[in-house]
Amino acid sequence: MAETARVVIIGGGVVGTSALYHLALAGWSDCLLLERNELTAGSTWHAAGNVPTFSSSWSIMNMQRYSAELYRGLGAAVDYPMNYHVTGSVRLGHSRERLREFQRVVGMGRYQGMELDILAPDEIRSRYPFLETHDLTGALYDPYDGDIDPAQLTQALAKGARDKGARIERFRPVTGARREGGEWVLETPKGPVHCDYVVNAAGYYAARVGAMFGRRVPMMVMSHQYLLFDTIPELEAWTRETGHKLPLLRDVDSSYYLRQEKAGFNLGPYENPCRAHWATPDDPMPEDFSFQLYPDDLERLEWHINDAMARVPLLEKARLQKVINGPIPYTPDGNPLIGPMPGVPNAFEACVFTFGICQGGGAGKVLAEWITQGATEWDMWSCDPRRFTGFEDHAYCVQKGMEVYGHEYAIHFPHHSWPAGRGRKLSPVHDRVAALGAQFGAYNGWERANWFARPGDDTSEAAQQTWNREGPWFGAVKAECAAVRDAAGLLDLPGFSRFSVSGAGARAWLETMITGAVPRPGRLGLAYFADDKGRIVTEMSVMALDDDLFFLITAAVAQRHDHDWLTQHLPEGAAITITDMTDAFACQILTGPKSRAVLAGVTDADLSKPWLTHQSAQIAGRWCQLVRVSFAGELGWEIHTKTEDTAPVWDAVMAAGQPLGLKPFGMFALNSLRIEKGYRAWKGDLSTDYTLLQGGLERFIKWDKPAFTGKAALEAEKQQGSSKRFVLLTLEPGDSDPPYMSTLWHDGQVVGETTSGGFGHRTGQCIALGMLRADLAIPGTAIDIEVFGEKRRAIVQPDAPLWDPSNERLRA
């Protein structure tokens, strides 16, 4: 008889066992974990075991907070001894910018129920008495931080899973996989296993496992060292006197952590330059690296060791006892892969965890939700494997992984572009745009102009590293917005994801997929896709070419996500074809009151066609599709061209427009323009954290349709009322704009969050989009927005754009 399981998890580290435990908690006990060696044999066994809750990502903070909560009660829940020390942590700041990051995270943590705190320089020694504080600007204190024994944690999760009926087989590697009769067949030395679902939780072996499924996992492996120091009498005496350990210390600007280990220390630097392993042909990955380490390589840590000794002089008295130098996997952005394996049915990933111990508990919860419910409680796009779209080859992964590791504690500023791995995807007019002064950012690998520098503007990377609104880009962006407002702007926008949907029944199928109406031929519509709970899955523009031929256009980074959503919802046997056409076309946005006059000089197309129409036309003797729409909220067109025809069309439009005041503009200007119109951005304002009704998108719901995904849930919510509502807010002046997930306050209570924010150059106002408690979402209501620890007064605006509220300019 064939061996079967409902789910097979490949990999027995903390993440794999957590996934098994959470599946069992959800009632899926017929699950099997296969481990090639012993449990914890990979990165788990040599992990330091730190359990921070800190993150500047809302979803990852949720995941880490859940892990810490789970671990505090896990030993009792599964009846297994646990060494979990909740010591708290002190995270040091050396600059005003670092303190602002801390203040932002404190606000996020408070919203999630965690009482984080900011310490002034003269308060830090009350938490950490052995510290030199003379050059510090402050610190963040996290009472929930601590450390855990990774082996005990893994065994506790394994016991909990076994107790609920799940199975674990050690020393049983998976050697192959195939799809057979609608199920997976996994080959092992002990015979095949048939299963409905499979999970790649193979840690730094994940690329090898992924290859069995035809999947190139975007990852690389870093060498990470930490140093264990022997007993220090003064520390031993202090611990005995106080009855507790020191808080875990992180000097993030110097890039290391320092943790009390018994009566000694554990020092873990993230050095730059750093070392990648198994990255070149002369350093191949071994067939089996279980329970092994790399040779010590302390020279590259010398600066960090000296800095730590100067910060905590007590460390100078310690004798180095042991060095741990082990492999840690990295994705190109440093976040793990949790979710559906792109393009592979009933296959999931829970792998490439750089911080697997602190994220393992939450990762197991999320992965179990993906499998058992088809969706997660929190929007987990930050970790979704589909955020990588296939261009990320080995060289790119190594470059980005080393960049992330070398800047592990770096602040992620809103206008900063990381330099490694750039130039992967270039527009056909990239050189022309660069010659105009473009400062680029990468969007799903595509280089797009963020802003256009003028003579004298500071274009250094250092100048980008600020939370302040008025960085070196500010004046240039203001001028770009003015050109769009008063004349016309042209934005080269390569990389729009686009799919053709064709075949008999295409229209009827789309009617069931989107909440609104499918446009008629010759028209364009904005379409929203909901899940069964009525939450916002994605937004696409639907261009109807014929009754059974449509182009769906969506965000660059949504390419794999949206393609998966479409293909996975195709009815079995449907005569509908979905084709990814992303690389075949390019796009330019021409917008502003003189854009019609610009086009009139280069095409004989009917430019009187109204808003939300499209037509085929000729520019410079080349075919293009003119789409009457503008994300900037002005009269305008998207000019879609075949990739090879883009350059002559760009040249013709630029030449015709310059006498009329046409200027190039970038993504920073577009963001300013769209915020003034209240237009939503994907995976900020639009995510599965919100339903369509909460998102203020009821005008895109066609209630009289017989059926569409999410209809029942949305009807129930409409009847009961929404708990929160989308609002557009204007803020009193300040030197910075509210970042994502800034906290909204009213009468001393947290009542909502921002989903995006920016400065509107046409209106001269600081603006936030957000979600507010429904009873307060009334125009004129005054609330406070916590921006980097400072509460700024904001006013709820009417449900209309701040700029051109009646859309007269847009429809002109």
Side-chain angles (χ1 to χ4, degrees), residues 383-441:
C383 301
D384 194 311
R386 295 167 296 184
R387 71 190 187 274
F388 300 114
T389 58
F391 75 90
E392 305 89 354
D393 60 16
H394 178 67
Y396 177 86
C397 291
V398 171
Q399 290 169 13
K400 296 302 289 185
M402 292 183 69
E403 180 179 64
V404 172
Y405 181 96
H407 299 86
E408 190 61 69
Y409 293 126
I411 304 172
H412 293 272
F413 293 105
H415 294 92
H416 176 226
S417 295
W418 292 98
R422 299 296 297 276
R424 305 293 294 190
K425 299 182 185 179
L426 302 181
S427 158
V429 295
H430 179 83
D431 291 345
R432 291 166 170 80
V433 175
L436 295 170
Q439 305 301 303
F440 291 97

Side-chain angles (χ1 to χ4, degrees), residues 600-672:
V602 295
T603 183
D604 57 2
D606 182 0
L607 301 180
S608 66
K609 281 183 174 288
W611 184 48
L612 299 180
T613 61
H614 59 89
Q615 60 183 306
S616 292
Q618 294 279 320
I619 295 178
R622 310 299 175 100
W623 170 90
C624 65
Q625 195 77 4
L626 294 179
V627 183
R628 178 74 194 281
V629 70
S630 171
F631 198 51
E634 299 280 356
L635 171 69
W637 284 262
E638 290 178 358
I639 306 173
H640 295 265
T641 54
K642 293 178 180 177
T643 303
E644 63 270 20
D645 294 334
T646 302
V649 171
W650 166 274
D651 291 341
V653 172
M654 284 293 290
Q658 284 177 339
L660 299 172
L662 174 72
K663 302 289 185 186
F665 71 105
M667 299 299 290
F668 290 173
L670 184 64
N671 190 56
S672 170

Side-chain angles (χ1 to χ4, degrees), residues 451-634:
W451 60 289
F452 288 84
R454 306 162 302 177
D457 285 339
D458 187 350
T459 60
S460 67
E461 187 182 0
Q464 303 170 15
Q465 296 176 355
T466 177
W467 295 105
N468 287 350
R469 177 189 306 119
E470 297 197 21
W473 56 83
F474 186 79
V477 172
K478 181 178 181 180
E480 292 168 29
C481 292
V484 171
R485 179 195 65 200
D486 300 333
L490 186 63
L491 170 61
D492 179 45
L493 200 64
F496 261 145
S497 302
R498 62 189 79 217
F499 315 107
S500 71
V501 179
S502 61
R507 172 177 291 277
W509 175 68
L510 281 174
E511 287 282 3
T512 68
M513 289 291 293
I514 69 173
T515 60
V518 177
R520 303 186 309 273
R523 303 287 299 187
L524 180 86
L526 194 59
Y528 288 91
F529 295 72
D531 66 11
D532 290 334
K533 297 179 180 179
R535 303 183 301 177
I536 305 164
V537 172
T538 194
E539 170 197 80
M540 302 189 207
S541 294
V542 178
M543 185 191 304
L545 301 173
D546 206 336
D547 272 328
D548 287 323
L549 177 59
F550 301 88
F551 259 68
L552 274 56
I553 302 174
T554 183
V557 75
Q559 184 178 2
R560 271 190 169 165
H561 175 280
D562 286 3
H563 187 265
D564 266 11
W565 186 261
L566 294 170
T567 55
Q568 289 170 6
H569 287 81
L570 267 181
E572 189 173 346
I576 299 170
T577 301
I578 298 173
T579 307
D580 189 330
M581 307 289 288
T582 300
D583 292 338
F585 292 90
C587 178
Q588 298 151 33
I589 292 180
L590 174 66
T591 187
K594 295 183 181 179
S595 56
R596 179 177 281 120
V598 173
L599 279 181
V602 295
T603 183
D604 57 2
D606 182 0
L607 301 180
S608 66
K609 281 183 174 288
W611 184 48
L612 299 180
T613 61
H614 59 89
Q615 60 183 306
S616 292
Q618 294 279 320
I619 295 178
R622 310 299 175 100
W623 170 90
C624 65
Q625 195 77 4
L626 294 179
V627 183
R628 178 74 194 281
V629 70
S630 171
F631 198 51
E634 299 280 356

Side-chain angles (χ1 to χ4, degrees), residues 662-733:
L662 174 72
K663 302 289 185 186
F665 71 105
M667 299 299 290
F668 290 173
L670 184 64
N671 190 56
S672 170
L673 298 164
R674 70 96 185 167
I675 280 179
E676 291 175 309
K677 295 293 290 183
Y679 293 162
R680 280 67 152 176
W682 193 63
K683 290 306 178 188
D685 314 298
L686 303 171
S687 78
T688 54
D689 284 330
Y690 310 111
T691 68
L692 266 79
L693 291 178
Q694 290 173 336
L697 300 170
E698 186 169 0
R699 66 187 182 279
F700 295 99
I701 302 175
K702 196 171 186 292
W703 295 107
D704 60 355
K705 289 202 304 183
F708 58 83
T709 304
K711 183 180 182 182
L714 290 167
E715 286 177 332
E717 183 184 347
K718 185 178 183 182
Q719 184 175 5
Q720 297 165 7
S722 300
S723 59
K724 56 176 66 174
R725 297 288 295 181
F726 175 85
V727 290
L728 196 154
L729 304 150
T730 55
L731 286 70
E732 63 185 13

Side-chain angles (χ1 to χ4, degrees), residues 2 66 69 80 84 127 224 252 398 414 456 537 591 598 615 727 738 743:
Y66 174 88
E69 292 171 354
Y80 193 89
Y84 183 25
R127 297 286 184 185
H224 176 61
V252 287
V398 171
V537 172
T591 187
V598 173
Q615 60 183 306
V727 290
T743 309

Side-chain angles (χ1 to χ4, degrees), residues 134-290:
H134 59 281
D135 57 343
L136 301 177
T137 55
L140 183 146
Y141 179 68
D142 178 357
Y144 308 95
D145 209 331
D147 62 90
I148 197 167
D149 184 306
Q152 287 183 333
L153 171 60
T154 304
Q155 296 295 345
L157 291 165
K159 181 178 185 298
R162 287 190 185 105
D163 288 348
K164 293 184 179 298
R167 294 177 292 146
I168 295 174
E169 286 204 41
R170 300 164 299 148
F171 303 101
R172 190 176 181 184
V174 174
T175 57
R178 67 181 187 273
R179 194 85 174 136
E180 188 177 281
E183 64 180 8
W184 287 107
V185 181
L186 305 180
E187 297 293 343
T188 81
K190 297 180 181 179
V193 180
H194 296 243
C195 60
D196 297 325
Y197 301 92
V198 65
V199 179
N200 180 357
Y204 54 72
Y205 294 108
R208 285 186 177 171
V209 172
M212 300 178 191
F213 298 88
R215 159 80 163 141
R216 187 176 71 194
V217 177
M219 64 171 291
M220 55 82 68
V221 177
M222 290 299 303
S223 156
H224 176 61
Q225 300 181 90
Y226 62 89
L227 290 68
L228 298 175
F229 292 87
D230 207 348
T231 297
I232 305 169
E234 293 93 332
L235 182 57
E236 186 175 38
W238 181 88
T239 303
R240 187 167 51 247
E241 179 183 343
T242 61
H244 60 81
K245 293 168 65 175
L246 284 168
L248 198 155
L249 182 73
R250 289 185 181 85
D251 194 336
V252 287
D253 290 311
S254 294
S255 194
Y256 60 82
Y257 69 82
L258 184 67
R259 187 182 91 199
Q260 182 177 344
E261 191 76 19
K262 296 180 180 177
F265 280 117
N266 174 339
L267 173 64
Y270 289 91
E271 73 279 8
N272 190 6
C274 47
R275 169 75 190 273
H277 266 292
W278 308 331
T280 57
D282 61 349
D283 181 24
M285 183 179 182
E287 180 60 31
D288 189 353
F289 201 69
S290 300

Side-chain angles (χ1 to χ4, degrees), residues 59-70:
S59 54
I60 290 179
M61 177 182 274
N62 260 320
M63 191 164 62
Q64 294 180 174
R65 172 187 53 77
Y66 174 88
S67 292
E69 292 171 354
L70 173 72

